[in-house]
């Protein structure tokens, strides 16, 4: 349902400072709603003071805006008025949510102080209330206080008088003022919150290890009991929060959200995002199901560009990441050729042998390398041998892997000879592995290779 002009005109007729121009944006931080509440609910000072005590007049982050909207909804539902609206709905500017809340305000409080507000079509007529508000605005302007807000916080004594400390818990967030949250919602949602609040009597809980906006979304999700509205960059922390605070239904929802991403057709950017999230879960909790699902899904694709981009800097990855890339590449000649080219490209700008290069070379299927990629594999070993700062240990590694490839080549040669299928190209390989009498170094052996 679209927002109608009459309800917006009504709101603007009540407001003194703020004015509504774009309904999808002007209500998203709670300040306009709170101004309406302050002006309309003057006969319920306790509810207004209670809401204002938890209110941030100039919300600078999403977390504060959501906190404000929670205060607004709490204030409106104190008398059990049913409002099927969530803070996230309002923050995201969902028109139906804004329209519903404005309608509740108009229907419940438009007659406050004997004012009569008649709304019909394009005509919006306000009587006593409008005159009072205009007089208040004129008086404020005459005092020269153009920058002050109509949202005046009550005196501290009044705040303490109306605030039931047993109903709220203070959440300390990163780089900002604390958030005030209903303790019952926290204890109901999480056994960890329940232990902290009820058993250990915590009235303040630190959550400053997480981004403030993510904490705000997390608290809104607990309030709504559904995890549908969060951004990709918030998934990891929300999932982590669900594990830290032992909220099983939220863990399941987060995993389901990520599975939905895996099932879709992905380009390299989406593939990288999903891979990193699955990798984080694998490292953090040693759970492999999501990574297994991802690898099974993308293995049939052409992953050449994805793998080459991921491994272009071999120093920044570890053995787990290399093994996963090898799984994604599969046991194909084309895949091992790609990995050899990655190594060769990486060695162009290096002066010493990186441990990940050694690790990767040891993962290849040597028989496949010997038979299919002899020249390229030999080129890689030559490039390693010619590194400027190669160590004695690394030279031994080259000798060892050269010996292994020679042994594999000899076994292949013997097998083909016994079966009568010996080819001249295979037989000639034995000459490539003889030491040159004029060169005492055994490192002139030439080799080939392939992945496991």
């Amino acid at each position: 349902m679209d927002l109608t002009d009459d309800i917006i005109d009504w709101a603007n007729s009540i407001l003194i400072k703020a004015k509504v121009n774009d309904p999808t944006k002007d209500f998203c931080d709670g300040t306009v709603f709170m101004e309406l509440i302050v002006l309309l609910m003057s006969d319920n000072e306790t509810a207004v003071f209670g809401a204002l005590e938890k209110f941030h007049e100039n919300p600078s982050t999403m977390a504060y805006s959501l906190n404000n909207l929670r205060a607004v909804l709490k204030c409106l539902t104190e008398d059990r008025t049913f409002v099927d609206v969530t803070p996230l709905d309002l923050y995201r500017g969902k028109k139906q949510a804004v329209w519903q809340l404005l309608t509740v305000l108009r229907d419940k409080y438009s007659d406050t102080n004997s004012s009569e507000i008649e709304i019909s079509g394009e005509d919006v007529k306000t009587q006593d209330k409008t005159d009072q508000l205009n007089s208040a605005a004129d008086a404020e302007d005459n005092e020269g206080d153009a920058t002050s807000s109509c949202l005046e916080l009550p005196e501290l004594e009044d705040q303490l008088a109306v605030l039931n400390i047993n109903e709220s818990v203070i959440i300390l967030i990163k780089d900002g003022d604390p958030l005030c949250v209903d303790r019952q919602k926290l204890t109901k949602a999480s056994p960890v919150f329940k232990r902290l609040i009820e058993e250990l009597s915590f009235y303040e809980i630190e959550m400053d290890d997480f981004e403030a906006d993510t904490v705000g979304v997390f608290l809104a999700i607990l309030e709504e009991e559904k995890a549908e509205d969060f951004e990709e960059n918030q998934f990891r922390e929300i999932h982590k929060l669900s594990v830290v605070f032992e909220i099983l239904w939220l863990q399941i929802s987060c995993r389901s959200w990520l599975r939905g991403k895996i099932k879709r057709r992905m380009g390299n950017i989406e593939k990288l995002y999903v891979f990193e999230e699955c990798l984080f879960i694998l490292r953090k909790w040693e759970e492999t199901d999501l990574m297994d699902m991802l690898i099974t899904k993308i293995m049939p694709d052409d992953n050449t560009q994805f793998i080459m981009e991921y491994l272009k800097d071999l120093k920044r990855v570890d053995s787990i990441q290399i093994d996963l890339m090898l799984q994604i590449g599969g046991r194909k000649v084309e895949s091992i050729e790609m990995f050899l080219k990655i190594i060769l490209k990486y060695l162009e700008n290096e002066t010493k042998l990186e441990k990940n290069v050694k690790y990767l070379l040891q993962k290849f299927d040597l028989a496949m390398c010997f038979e299919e990629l002899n020249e390229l594999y030999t080129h890689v070993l030559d490039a390693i041998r010619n590194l400027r700062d190669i160590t004695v240990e690394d030279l031994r590694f080259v000798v060892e892997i050269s010996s292994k490839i020679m042994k594999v080549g000899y076994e292949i040669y013997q097998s083909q000879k016994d079966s009568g299928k010996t080819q001249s190209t295979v037989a000639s390989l034995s000459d490539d592995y003889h030491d040159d009498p004029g060169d005492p170094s055994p490192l002139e052996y030439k080799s080939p290779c392939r992945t496991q």
Side-chain angles (χ1 to χ4, degrees):
M1 182 183 298
D2 250 350
L3 286 169
T4 54
D5 291 340
D6 60 349
I7 197 78
I8 297 302
D9 289 344
W10 169 80
N12 280 330
S13 73
I14 300 297
L15 295 167
I16 296 175
K17 285 283 186 183
K19 293 296 179 183
V20 180
N21 295 310
D22 184 348
T24 64
K25 295 179 180 178
D26 295 341
F27 292 98
C28 68
D29 65 4
T31 53
V32 174
F33 279 128
M34 187 55 76
E35 183 176 345
L36 283 170
I37 286 173
V38 170
L39 293 169
L40 292 170
M41 296 178 63
S42 57
D43 61 335
N44 191 350
E45 293 185 359
T46 298
V48 173
F49 282 2
L52 283 173
E53 197 278 334
K54 304 174 184 179
F55 199 78
H56 296 272
E57 188 174 333
N58 296 301
S60 57
T61 68
M62 180 181 181
Y64 293 147
S65 295
L66 289 171
N67 198 67
N68 284 356
L69 292 166
R70 275 194 293 273
V72 168
L73 292 175
K74 182 174 176 60
C75 187
L76 288 179
T77 55
E78 277 198 344
D79 61 354
R80 300 186 182 279
T81 299
F82 176 73
V83 180
D84 186 21
V85 173
T86 69
L88 271 177
D89 290 339
L90 297 170
Y91 179 80
R92 299 191 189 285
K94 293 186 178 179
K95 290 185 177 181
Q96 181 143 347
V98 175
W99 180 88
Q100 183 180 347
L101 208 56
L102 285 174
T103 302
V104 168
L105 280 166
R106 185 185 69 179
D107 293 347
K108 284 185 67 174
Y109 301 111
S110 60
D111 291 330
T112 301
N113 294 334
S114 302
S115 64
E116 296 180 5
I117 302 176
E118 182 181 336
I119 300 177
S120 59
E122 299 178 357
D123 297 327
V124 180
K125 300 178 181 179
T126 61
Q127 296 178 354
D128 298 335
K129 189 69 177 181
T130 302
D131 295 337
Q132 294 171 17
L133 297 177
N134 288 338
S135 298
D138 292 340
E140 192 171 24
D141 290 338
N142 291 336
E143 292 174 5
D145 189 11
T147 60
S148 66
S149 168
C150 65
L151 303 178
E152 295 181 3
L153 290 173
E155 294 297 325
L156 179 60
E157 297 77 15
D158 295 324
Q159 293 179 28
L160 295 176
V162 299
L163 177 64
N164 183 351
I165 195 66
N166 293 321
E167 292 182 358
S168 301
V169 173
I170 303 300
I171 302 295
L172 304 177
I173 61 174
K174 182 189 292 185
D175 301 328
D177 296 332
L179 302 176
C180 199
V181 184
D182 188 322
R183 60 175 285 161
Q184 288 187 347
K185 293 187 181 297
L186 296 181
T187 56
K188 177 184 175 184
S190 160
V192 175
F193 279 132
K194 188 177 180 69
R195 285 196 296 272
L196 292 174
I197 295 168
E198 294 185 354
E199 298 176 21
L200 301 177
S201 301
F202 277 46
Y203 62 89
E204 287 186 351
I205 297 175
E206 293 184 4
M207 297 181 68
D208 51 5
D209 289 338
F210 302 90
E211 292 299 320
D213 283 351
T214 304
V215 173
V217 173
F218 171 70
L219 295 173
I221 286 172
L222 296 189
E223 190 168 359
E224 298 170 34
E225 297 186 359
K226 61 179 182 179
E228 297 175 357
D229 270 335
F230 54 79
E231 306 297 333
E232 282 188 352
N233 61 0
Q234 295 172 331
F235 165 78
R236 183 177 297 186
E237 288 202 326
I238 289 175
H239 179 239
K240 196 191 303 182
L241 283 162
S242 74
V243 177
V244 169
F245 290 100
E246 299 177 11
I247 306 170
L248 182 59
W249 70 264
L250 183 52
Q251 293 177 43
I252 294 171
S253 294
C254 288
R255 303 289 179 89
S256 177
W257 182 89
L258 191 56
R259 284 191 181 92
K261 291 277 187 186
I262 294 172
K263 291 176 182 178
R264 297 175 194 160
R265 185 176 182 83
M266 293 178 283
N268 286 339
I269 295 175
E270 293 85 358
K271 200 177 292 183
L272 177 62
Y273 169 79
V274 174
F275 178 83
E276 289 297 329
E277 295 307 321
C278 292
L279 178 62
F280 180 83
I281 292 170
L282 174 64
R283 291 187 193 278
K284 188 77 175 175
W285 298 291
E286 298 182 357
E287 296 180 12
T288 63
D289 56 326
L290 287 166
M291 183 60 80
D292 291 342
M293 180 182 178
L294 174 63
I295 291 175
T296 302
K297 169 68 165 51
I298 67 176
M299 270 188 70
D301 300 343
D302 179 3
N303 295 298
T304 303
Q305 287 302 116
F306 173 69
I307 294 173
M308 290 187 74
E309 182 65 24
Y310 197 87
L311 295 179
K312 68 181 180 181
D313 184 0
L314 282 169
K315 281 199 292 282
R316 75 168 186 83
V317 297
D318 59 25
S319 59
I320 293 175
Q321 292 163 293
I322 291 173
D323 286 340
L324 291 170
M325 288 296 123
L326 287 167
Q327 288 185 53
I328 292 171
R331 295 170 58 88
K332 301 175 292 190
V333 171
E334 297 78 15
S335 295
I336 299 179
E337 181 179 8
M338 171 189 65
F339 286 113
L340 288 170
K341 288 179 177 179
I342 288 172
I343 292 173
L344 208 54
K345 180 70 175 174
Y346 175 76
L347 291 173
E348 288 178 0
N349 301 312
E350 295 298 311
T351 61
K352 59 184 179 180
L353 185 59
E354 166 64 38
K355 65 178 182 179
N356 284 337
V357 173
K358 295 166 69 172
Y359 182 82
L360 192 50
L361 283 171
Q362 293 176 86
K363 290 289 182 174
F364 294 148
D365 182 336
L366 294 181
M368 190 180 292
C369 290
F370 181 85
E371 291 187 295
E372 305 289 346
L373 299 165
N374 180 25
E375 184 177 351
L376 180 57
Y377 190 76
T378 301
H379 193 183
V380 169
L381 291 184
D382 287 342
I384 294 173
R385 196 167 54 241
N386 293 326
L387 290 172
R388 188 182 67 199
D389 299 327
I390 192 166
T391 65
V392 173
E393 181 184 352
D394 293 337
L395 286 172
R396 288 197 186 100
F397 168 78
V398 176
V399 171
E400 180 183 344
I401 203 165
S402 297
S403 299
K404 287 181 179 178
I405 200 74
M406 286 171 58
K407 182 178 179 181
V408 169
Y410 179 75
E411 290 171 352
I412 292 173
Y413 171 72
Q414 284 297 117
S415 175
Q416 291 179 344
K417 183 178 179 181
D418 293 343
S419 63
K421 297 180 180 179
T422 307
Q423 301 175 4
S424 59
T425 53
V426 175
S428 67
L429 282 171
S430 59
D431 295 334
D432 294 335
Y433 295 102
H434 279 102
D435 285 293
D436 182 347
D439 185 353
S441 171
L443 299 177
E444 289 298 325
Y445 294 140
K446 297 183 181 178
S447 315
C449 184
R450 198 37 199 241
T451 66
Q452 310 198 105

